[in-house]
Amino acid sequence: MLKLFCCFILSAIALFADVTGKWTGTGKADTSDGDAQVMTVNLDLKQTGNEVTGTVSTGESSDRFSAKGTLDGDVLTMKV
């Protein structure tokens, strides 16, 4: 099973009070044989207060995953 670990550095978050919208970044997936695969990751987010929800997908797949997290200052933490 492919474990997806996404790490986003969104320096623009500090400039905005709301992260609602579509974001694109780079993610890394660890495969079952221990290799790391780099891929494009797409986020479609909606922020209410400091709570953030949305969907996550990769450029290689049409699969969509639910995401939920929080924005604390300039740090966005998401659980996919």
Side-chain angles (χ1 to χ4, degrees), residues 11-57:
S11 59
I13 289 175
L15 301 174
F16 299 103
D18 192 342
V19 296
T20 298
K22 295 185 181 202
W23 297 82
T24 301
T26 303
K28 188 189 318 181
D30 295 329
T31 60
S32 60
D33 61 1
D35 289 337
Q37 177 184 7
V38 176
M39 66 188 73
T40 299
V41 179
N42 305 301
L43 295 157
D44 191 355
L45 303 177
K46 178 175 169 60
Q47 181 179 344
T48 305
N50 70 335
E51 293 184 14
V52 181
T53 58
T55 59
V56 178
S57 63

mmCIF file of all heavy atoms in Angstrom, residues 11-57:
data_model
loop_
_atom_site.group_PDB
_atom_site.id
_atom_site.type_symbol
_atom_site.label_atom_id
_atom_site.label_comp_id
_atom_site.label_asym_id
_atom_site.label_seq_id
_atom_site.Cartn_x
_atom_site.Cartn_y
_atom_site.Cartn_z
ATOM 1 N N SER A 11 4.692 29.540 1.986
ATOM 2 C CA SER A 11 5.098 30.809 2.577
ATOM 3 C C SER A 11 4.061 31.893 2.366
ATOM 4 O O SER A 11 3.985 32.851 3.125
ATOM 5 C CB SER A 11 6.440 31.254 1.999
ATOM 6 O OG SER A 11 6.345 31.396 0.602
ATOM 7 N N ALA A 12 3.224 31.731 1.359
ATOM 8 C CA ALA A 12 2.192 32.729 1.094
ATOM 9 C C ALA A 12 1.111 32.731 2.167
ATOM 10 O O ALA A 12 0.381 33.712 2.301
ATOM 11 C CB ALA A 12 1.563 32.468 -0.264
ATOM 12 N N ILE A 13 1.005 31.673 2.961
ATOM 13 C CA ILE A 13 -0.028 31.605 3.997
ATOM 14 C C ILE A 13 0.088 32.788 4.955
ATOM 15 O O ILE A 13 -0.908 33.329 5.404
ATOM 16 C CB ILE A 13 0.038 30.265 4.761
ATOM 17 C CG1 ILE A 13 -0.434 29.132 3.866
ATOM 18 C CG2 ILE A 13 -0.795 30.304 6.020
ATOM 19 C CD1 ILE A 13 -0.300 27.767 4.477
ATOM 20 N N ALA A 14 1.307 33.180 5.260
ATOM 21 C CA ALA A 14 1.502 34.285 6.201
ATOM 22 C C ALA A 14 0.907 35.585 5.676
ATOM 23 O O ALA A 14 0.574 36.474 6.450
ATOM 24 C CB ALA A 14 2.989 34.467 6.481
ATOM 25 N N LEU A 15 0.745 35.684 4.367
ATOM 26 C CA LEU A 15 0.215 36.912 3.778
ATOM 27 C C LEU A 15 -1.302 36.933 3.685
ATOM 28 O O LEU A 15 -1.882 37.975 3.423
ATOM 29 C CB LEU A 15 0.809 37.098 2.370
ATOM 30 C CG LEU A 15 2.324 37.176 2.291
ATOM 31 C CD1 LEU A 15 2.767 37.200 0.833
ATOM 32 C CD2 LEU A 15 2.841 38.384 3.040
ATOM 33 N N PHE A 16 -1.949 35.790 3.864
ATOM 34 C CA PHE A 16 -3.388 35.679 3.673
ATOM 35 C C PHE A 16 -4.066 35.248 4.973
ATOM 36 O O PHE A 16 -3.538 34.437 5.704
ATOM 37 C CB PHE A 16 -3.710 34.648 2.583
ATOM 38 C CG PHE A 16 -3.128 35.003 1.251
ATOM 39 C CD1 PHE A 16 -2.005 34.357 0.787
ATOM 40 C CD2 PHE A 16 -3.694 36.001 0.468
ATOM 41 C CE1 PHE A 16 -1.455 34.681 -0.445
ATOM 42 C CE2 PHE A 16 -3.153 36.333 -0.755
ATOM 43 C CZ PHE A 16 -2.026 35.669 -1.217
ATOM 44 N N ALA A 17 -5.257 35.766 5.218
ATOM 45 C CA ALA A 17 -6.024 35.368 6.389
ATOM 46 C C ALA A 17 -6.826 34.108 6.100
ATOM 47 O O ALA A 17 -7.325 33.478 7.008
ATOM 48 C CB ALA A 17 -6.953 36.493 6.805
ATOM 49 N N ASP A 18 -6.941 33.720 4.840
ATOM 50 C CA ASP A 18 -7.791 32.604 4.436
ATOM 51 C C ASP A 18 -7.077 31.790 3.360
ATOM 52 O O ASP A 18 -6.631 32.343 2.365
ATOM 53 C CB ASP A 18 -9.109 33.162 3.884
ATOM 54 C CG ASP A 18 -10.181 32.113 3.694
ATOM 55 O OD1 ASP A 18 -9.861 30.911 3.660
ATOM 56 O OD2 ASP A 18 -11.338 32.509 3.564
ATOM 57 N N VAL A 19 -6.958 30.474 3.559
ATOM 58 C CA VAL A 19 -6.293 29.605 2.577
ATOM 59 C C VAL A 19 -7.293 28.944 1.629
ATOM 60 O O VAL A 19 -6.928 28.055 0.873
ATOM 61 C CB VAL A 19 -5.420 28.534 3.262
ATOM 62 C CG1 VAL A 19 -4.281 29.178 4.030
ATOM 63 C CG2 VAL A 19 -6.252 27.617 4.140
ATOM 64 N N THR A 20 -8.554 29.368 1.669
ATOM 65 C CA THR A 20 -9.565 28.817 0.775
ATOM 66 C C THR A 20 -9.113 28.974 -0.672
ATOM 67 O O THR A 20 -8.664 30.042 -1.073
ATOM 68 C CB THR A 20 -10.912 29.530 0.977
ATOM 69 O OG1 THR A 20 -11.353 29.303 2.322
ATOM 70 C CG2 THR A 20 -11.962 29.025 0.008
ATOM 71 N N GLY A 21 -9.221 27.889 -1.425
ATOM 72 C CA GLY A 21 -8.851 27.942 -2.835
ATOM 73 C C GLY A 21 -8.135 26.689 -3.272
ATOM 74 O O GLY A 21 -8.082 25.692 -2.558
ATOM 75 N N LYS A 22 -7.566 26.758 -4.466
ATOM 76 C CA LYS A 22 -6.850 25.627 -5.044
ATOM 77 C C LYS A 22 -5.354 25.898 -4.961
ATOM 78 O O LYS A 22 -4.891 26.963 -5.354
ATOM 79 C CB LYS A 22 -7.286 25.411 -6.494
ATOM 80 C CG LYS A 22 -8.739 25.014 -6.570
ATOM 81 C CD LYS A 22 -9.174 24.686 -7.971
ATOM 82 C CE LYS A 22 -10.659 24.337 -7.918
ATOM 83 N NZ LYS A 22 -11.092 23.538 -9.018
ATOM 84 N N TRP A 23 -4.619 24.910 -4.438
ATOM 85 C CA TRP A 23 -3.182 25.010 -4.240
ATOM 86 C C TRP A 23 -2.512 23.817 -4.910
ATOM 87 O O TRP A 23 -3.070 22.722 -4.953
ATOM 88 C CB TRP A 23 -2.842 24.979 -2.754
ATOM 89 C CG TRP A 23 -3.399 26.119 -1.965
ATOM 90 C CD1 TRP A 23 -4.666 26.228 -1.460
ATOM 91 C CD2 TRP A 23 -2.726 27.308 -1.599
ATOM 92 N NE1 TRP A 23 -4.809 27.412 -0.806
ATOM 93 C CE2 TRP A 23 -3.635 28.097 -0.864
ATOM 94 C CE3 TRP A 23 -1.443 27.787 -1.803
ATOM 95 C CZ2 TRP A 23 -3.286 29.336 -0.337
ATOM 96 C CZ3 TRP A 23 -1.107 29.020 -1.266
ATOM 97 C CH2 TRP A 23 -2.029 29.782 -0.557
ATOM 98 N N THR A 24 -1.303 24.016 -5.399
ATOM 99 C CA THR A 24 -0.511 22.934 -5.981
ATOM 100 C C THR A 24 0.870 22.949 -5.355
ATOM 101 O O THR A 24 1.456 24.013 -5.157
ATOM 102 C CB THR A 24 -0.384 23.128 -7.511
ATOM 103 O OG1 THR A 24 -1.684 23.147 -8.084
ATOM 104 C CG2 THR A 24 0.411 22.000 -8.142
ATOM 105 N N GLY A 25 1.374 21.750 -5.047
ATOM 106 C CA GLY A 25 2.706 21.634 -4.453
ATOM 107 C C GLY A 25 3.332 20.308 -4.826
ATOM 108 O O GLY A 25 2.840 19.589 -5.696
ATOM 109 N N THR A 26 4.402 19.981 -4.153
ATOM 110 C CA THR A 26 5.119 18.738 -4.384
ATOM 111 C C THR A 26 4.986 17.856 -3.150
ATOM 112 O O THR A 26 5.112 18.336 -2.033
ATOM 113 C CB THR A 26 6.603 19.016 -4.667
ATOM 114 O OG1 THR A 26 6.695 19.896 -5.769
ATOM 115 C CG2 THR A 26 7.353 17.749 -4.998
ATOM 116 N N GLY A 27 4.741 16.567 -3.374
ATOM 117 C CA GLY A 27 4.633 15.611 -2.281
ATOM 118 C C GLY A 27 5.534 14.420 -2.536
ATOM 119 O O GLY A 27 6.029 14.224 -3.642
ATOM 120 N N LYS A 28 5.756 13.639 -1.493
ATOM 121 C CA LYS A 28 6.583 12.452 -1.608
ATOM 122 C C LYS A 28 5.794 11.262 -1.084
ATOM 123 O O LYS A 28 5.194 11.338 -0.014
ATOM 124 C CB LYS A 28 7.859 12.615 -0.802
ATOM 125 C CG LYS A 28 8.856 11.504 -1.031
ATOM 126 C CD LYS A 28 10.039 11.500 -0.090
ATOM 127 C CE LYS A 28 10.642 12.823 0.198
ATOM 128 N NZ LYS A 28 11.807 12.732 1.096
ATOM 129 N N ALA A 29 5.774 10.177 -1.834
ATOM 130 C CA ALA A 29 5.090 8.955 -1.417
ATOM 131 C C ALA A 29 6.125 7.865 -1.228
ATOM 132 O O ALA A 29 6.992 7.664 -2.083
ATOM 133 C CB ALA A 29 4.063 8.535 -2.456
ATOM 134 N N ASP A 30 6.065 7.178 -0.100
ATOM 135 C CA ASP A 30 6.932 6.032 0.146
ATOM 136 C C ASP A 30 6.221 4.782 -0.345
ATOM 137 O O ASP A 30 5.102 4.499 0.069
ATOM 138 C CB ASP A 30 7.255 5.903 1.632
ATOM 139 C CG ASP A 30 8.083 7.083 2.144
ATOM 140 O OD1 ASP A 30 8.860 7.636 1.340
ATOM 141 O OD2 ASP A 30 7.949 7.438 3.316
ATOM 142 N N THR A 31 6.863 4.051 -1.244
ATOM 143 C CA THR A 31 6.274 2.825 -1.781
ATOM 144 C C THR A 31 6.586 1.653 -0.854
ATOM 145 O O THR A 31 7.420 1.762 0.044
ATOM 146 C CB THR A 31 6.809 2.537 -3.201
ATOM 147 O OG1 THR A 31 8.224 2.376 -3.135
ATOM 148 C CG2 THR A 31 6.465 3.685 -4.150
ATOM 149 N N SER A 32 5.932 0.537 -1.073
ATOM 150 C CA SER A 32 6.110 -0.635 -0.204
ATOM 151 C C SER A 32 7.530 -1.186 -0.244
ATOM 152 O O SER A 32 7.964 -1.838 0.701
ATOM 153 C CB SER A 32 5.112 -1.728 -0.590
ATOM 154 O OG SER A 32 5.322 -2.116 -1.933
ATOM 155 N N ASP A 33 8.272 -0.936 -1.320
ATOM 156 C CA ASP A 33 9.656 -1.421 -1.392
ATOM 157 C C ASP A 33 10.668 -0.398 -0.864
ATOM 158 O O ASP A 33 11.868 -0.581 -1.005
ATOM 159 C CB ASP A 33 10.014 -1.857 -2.815
ATOM 160 C CG ASP A 33 9.914 -0.733 -3.832
ATOM 161 O OD1 ASP A 33 9.577 0.403 -3.440
ATOM 162 O OD2 ASP A 33 10.159 -0.995 -5.011
ATOM 163 N N GLY A 34 10.189 0.681 -0.249
ATOM 164 C CA GLY A 34 11.068 1.655 0.388
ATOM 165 C C GLY A 34 11.528 2.788 -0.493
ATOM 166 O O GLY A 34 12.244 3.671 -0.036
ATOM 167 N N ASP A 35 11.170 2.763 -1.768
ATOM 168 C CA ASP A 35 11.536 3.869 -2.653
ATOM 169 C C ASP A 35 10.656 5.078 -2.373
ATOM 170 O O ASP A 35 9.563 4.958 -1.842
ATOM 171 C CB ASP A 35 11.380 3.474 -4.121
ATOM 172 C CG ASP A 35 12.429 2.474 -4.579
ATOM 173 O OD1 ASP A 35 13.499 2.411 -3.942
ATOM 174 O OD2 ASP A 35 12.173 1.758 -5.563
ATOM 175 N N ALA A 36 11.136 6.245 -2.755
ATOM 176 C CA ALA A 36 10.369 7.478 -2.612
ATOM 177 C C ALA A 36 10.011 7.987 -4.000
ATOM 178 O O ALA A 36 10.852 8.020 -4.890
ATOM 179 C CB ALA A 36 11.164 8.531 -1.854
ATOM 180 N N GLN A 37 8.763 8.348 -4.176
ATOM 181 C CA GLN A 37 8.279 8.865 -5.452
ATOM 182 C C GLN A 37 7.821 10.301 -5.238
ATOM 183 O O GLN A 37 6.996 10.577 -4.382
ATOM 184 C CB GLN A 37 7.112 8.006 -5.934
ATOM 185 C CG GLN A 37 6.489 8.476 -7.213
ATOM 186 C CD GLN A 37 5.272 7.633 -7.600
ATOM 187 O OE1 GLN A 37 4.831 6.783 -6.852
ATOM 188 N NE2 GLN A 37 4.749 7.899 -8.760
ATOM 189 N N VAL A 38 8.360 11.235 -6.038
ATOM 190 C CA VAL A 38 7.976 12.639 -5.960
ATOM 191 C C VAL A 38 6.853 12.882 -6.961
ATOM 192 O O VAL A 38 6.896 12.383 -8.082
ATOM 193 C CB VAL A 38 9.175 13.563 -6.263
ATOM 194 C CG1 VAL A 38 8.754 15.018 -6.281
ATOM 195 C CG2 VAL A 38 10.279 13.334 -5.246
ATOM 196 N N MET A 39 5.813 13.612 -6.520
ATOM 197 C CA MET A 39 4.656 13.837 -7.380
ATOM 198 C C MET A 39 4.042 15.200 -7.115
ATOM 199 O O MET A 39 4.284 15.813 -6.085
ATOM 200 C CB MET A 39 3.617 12.757 -7.137
ATOM 201 C CG MET A 39 3.018 12.803 -5.742
ATOM 202 S SD MET A 39 1.964 11.415 -5.356
ATOM 203 C CE MET A 39 3.193 10.146 -5.154
ATOM 204 N N THR A 40 3.234 15.649 -8.065
ATOM 205 C CA THR A 40 2.461 16.874 -7.894
ATOM 206 C C THR A 40 1.249 16.563 -7.036
ATOM 207 O O THR A 40 0.578 15.556 -7.240
ATOM 208 C CB THR A 40 2.000 17.410 -9.262
ATOM 209 O OG1 THR A 40 3.150 17.691 -10.040
ATOM 210 C CG2 THR A 40 1.170 18.669 -9.108
ATOM 211 N N VAL A 41 0.971 17.435 -6.063
ATOM 212 C CA VAL A 41 -0.172 17.262 -5.176
ATOM 213 C C VAL A 41 -1.059 18.491 -5.303
ATOM 214 O O VAL A 41 -0.579 19.625 -5.278
ATOM 215 C CB VAL A 41 0.276 17.072 -3.711
ATOM 216 C CG1 VAL A 41 -0.917 16.919 -2.796
ATOM 217 C CG2 VAL A 41 1.206 15.882 -3.592
ATOM 218 N N ASN A 42 -2.363 18.256 -5.484
ATOM 219 C CA ASN A 42 -3.339 19.334 -5.634
ATOM 220 C C ASN A 42 -4.244 19.374 -4.419
ATOM 221 O O ASN A 42 -4.756 18.340 -3.985
ATOM 222 C CB ASN A 42 -4.186 19.090 -6.890
ATOM 223 C CG ASN A 42 -3.316 18.934 -8.112
ATOM 224 O OD1 ASN A 42 -2.568 19.813 -8.463
ATOM 225 N ND2 ASN A 42 -3.403 17.777 -8.741
ATOM 226 N N LEU A 43 -4.435 20.558 -3.860
ATOM 227 C CA LEU A 43 -5.320 20.755 -2.717
ATOM 228 C C LEU A 43 -6.456 21.678 -3.133
ATOM 229 O O LEU A 43 -6.235 22.685 -3.806
ATOM 230 C CB LEU A 43 -4.571 21.428 -1.570
ATOM 231 C CG LEU A 43 -3.437 20.653 -0.938
ATOM 232 C CD1 LEU A 43 -2.472 21.596 -0.264
ATOM 233 C CD2 LEU A 43 -3.989 19.665 0.060
ATOM 234 N N ASP A 44 -7.672 21.329 -2.732
ATOM 235 C CA ASP A 44 -8.833 22.197 -2.913
ATOM 236 C C ASP A 44 -9.378 22.421 -1.511
ATOM 237 O O ASP A 44 -9.986 21.527 -0.922
ATOM 238 C CB ASP A 44 -9.862 21.536 -3.824
ATOM 239 C CG ASP A 44 -10.959 22.493 -4.254
ATOM 240 O OD1 ASP A 44 -10.983 23.646 -3.780
ATOM 241 O OD2 ASP A 44 -11.800 22.083 -5.070
ATOM 242 N N LEU A 45 -9.135 23.605 -0.934
ATOM 243 C CA LEU A 45 -9.372 23.849 0.487
ATOM 244 C C LEU A 45 -10.468 24.868 0.739
ATOM 245 O O LEU A 45 -10.699 25.778 -0.049
ATOM 246 C CB LEU A 45 -8.083 24.363 1.142
ATOM 247 C CG LEU A 45 -6.851 23.479 1.021
ATOM 248 C CD1 LEU A 45 -5.656 24.166 1.656
ATOM 249 C CD2 LEU A 45 -7.087 22.117 1.634
ATOM 250 N N LYS A 46 -11.113 24.719 1.912
ATOM 251 C CA LYS A 46 -12.085 25.696 2.407
ATOM 252 C C LYS A 46 -11.762 25.921 3.878
ATOM 253 O O LYS A 46 -11.662 24.978 4.658
ATOM 254 C CB LYS A 46 -13.510 25.177 2.251
ATOM 255 C CG LYS A 46 -14.546 26.148 2.811
ATOM 256 C CD LYS A 46 -15.940 25.661 2.536
ATOM 257 C CE LYS A 46 -17.013 26.389 3.238
ATOM 258 N NZ LYS A 46 -17.270 27.715 3.118
ATOM 259 N N GLN A 47 -11.596 27.184 4.248
ATOM 260 C CA GLN A 47 -11.266 27.539 5.618
ATOM 261 C C GLN A 47 -12.446 28.206 6.292
ATOM 262 O O GLN A 47 -13.082 29.100 5.731
ATOM 263 C CB GLN A 47 -10.062 28.478 5.653
ATOM 264 C CG GLN A 47 -9.646 28.860 7.056
ATOM 265 C CD GLN A 47 -8.445 29.778 7.068
ATOM 266 O OE1 GLN A 47 -7.731 29.904 6.081
ATOM 267 N NE2 GLN A 47 -8.234 30.435 8.195
ATOM 268 N N THR A 48 -12.749 27.763 7.522
ATOM 269 C CA THR A 48 -13.755 28.382 8.376
ATOM 270 C C THR A 48 -13.097 28.611 9.729
ATOM 271 O O THR A 48 -12.794 27.651 10.432
ATOM 272 C CB THR A 48 -14.996 27.479 8.525
ATOM 273 O OG1 THR A 48 -15.499 27.152 7.233
ATOM 274 C CG2 THR A 48 -16.070 28.163 9.340
ATOM 275 N N GLY A 49 -12.844 29.866 10.054
ATOM 276 C CA GLY A 49 -12.075 30.148 11.270
ATOM 277 C C GLY A 49 -10.668 29.625 11.081
ATOM 278 O O GLY A 49 -10.030 29.907 10.075
ATOM 279 N N ASN A 50 -10.186 28.810 12.030
ATOM 280 C CA ASN A 50 -8.864 28.200 11.849
ATOM 281 C C ASN A 50 -8.960 26.752 11.373
ATOM 282 O O ASN A 50 -7.949 26.080 11.212
ATOM 283 C CB ASN A 50 -8.029 28.303 13.124
ATOM 284 C CG ASN A 50 -8.539 27.406 14.238
ATOM 285 O OD1 ASN A 50 -9.713 27.058 14.283
ATOM 286 N ND2 ASN A 50 -7.659 27.053 15.145
ATOM 287 N N GLU A 51 -10.197 26.260 11.137
ATOM 288 C CA GLU A 51 -10.384 24.895 10.622
ATOM 289 C C GLU A 51 -10.354 24.898 9.096
ATOM 290 O O GLU A 51 -10.937 25.761 8.450
ATOM 291 C CB GLU A 51 -11.704 24.320 11.120
ATOM 292 C CG GLU A 51 -11.716 24.081 12.615
ATOM 293 C CD GLU A 51 -12.995 23.411 13.087
ATOM 294 O OE1 GLU A 51 -13.755 22.903 12.253
ATOM 295 O OE2 GLU A 51 -13.217 23.405 14.298
ATOM 296 N N VAL A 52 -9.652 23.906 8.530
ATOM 297 C CA VAL A 52 -9.505 23.787 7.084
ATOM 298 C C VAL A 52 -9.950 22.388 6.664
ATOM 299 O O VAL A 52 -9.546 21.404 7.277
ATOM 300 C CB VAL A 52 -8.042 24.032 6.649
ATOM 301 C CG1 VAL A 52 -7.895 23.926 5.144
ATOM 302 C CG2 VAL A 52 -7.546 25.388 7.142
ATOM 303 N N THR A 53 -10.806 22.314 5.648
ATOM 304 C CA THR A 53 -11.244 21.036 5.092
ATOM 305 C C THR A 53 -11.078 21.085 3.582
ATOM 306 O O THR A 53 -10.915 22.147 2.999
ATOM 307 C CB THR A 53 -12.718 20.736 5.425
ATOM 308 O OG1 THR A 53 -13.522 21.806 4.912
ATOM 309 C CG2 THR A 53 -12.952 20.588 6.916
ATOM 310 N N GLY A 54 -11.130 19.923 2.945
ATOM 311 C CA GLY A 54 -11.043 19.903 1.493
ATOM 312 C C GLY A 54 -10.685 18.546 0.952
ATOM 313 O O GLY A 54 -10.903 17.522 1.606
ATOM 314 N N THR A 55 -10.136 18.546 -0.258
ATOM 315 C CA THR A 55 -9.718 17.310 -0.903
ATOM 316 C C THR A 55 -8.284 17.443 -1.396
ATOM 317 O O THR A 55 -7.796 18.535 -1.666
ATOM 318 C CB THR A 55 -10.621 16.948 -2.102
ATOM 319 O OG1 THR A 55 -10.579 18.019 -3.048
ATOM 320 C CG2 THR A 55 -12.046 16.693 -1.663
ATOM 321 N N VAL A 56 -7.634 16.277 -1.502
ATOM 322 C CA VAL A 56 -6.263 16.190 -1.987
ATOM 323 C C VAL A 56 -6.236 15.176 -3.121
ATOM 324 O O VAL A 56 -6.863 14.122 -3.030
ATOM 325 C CB VAL A 56 -5.302 15.731 -0.870
ATOM 326 C CG1 VAL A 56 -3.883 15.587 -1.385
ATOM 327 C CG2 VAL A 56 -5.355 16.682 0.307
ATOM 328 N N SER A 57 -5.515 15.510 -4.186
ATOM 329 C CA SER A 57 -5.317 14.562 -5.285
ATOM 330 C C SER A 57 -3.897 14.721 -5.798
ATOM 331 O O SER A 57 -3.224 15.702 -5.505
ATOM 332 C CB SER A 57 -6.328 14.809 -6.408
ATOM 333 O OG SER A 57 -6.136 16.090 -6.967
#
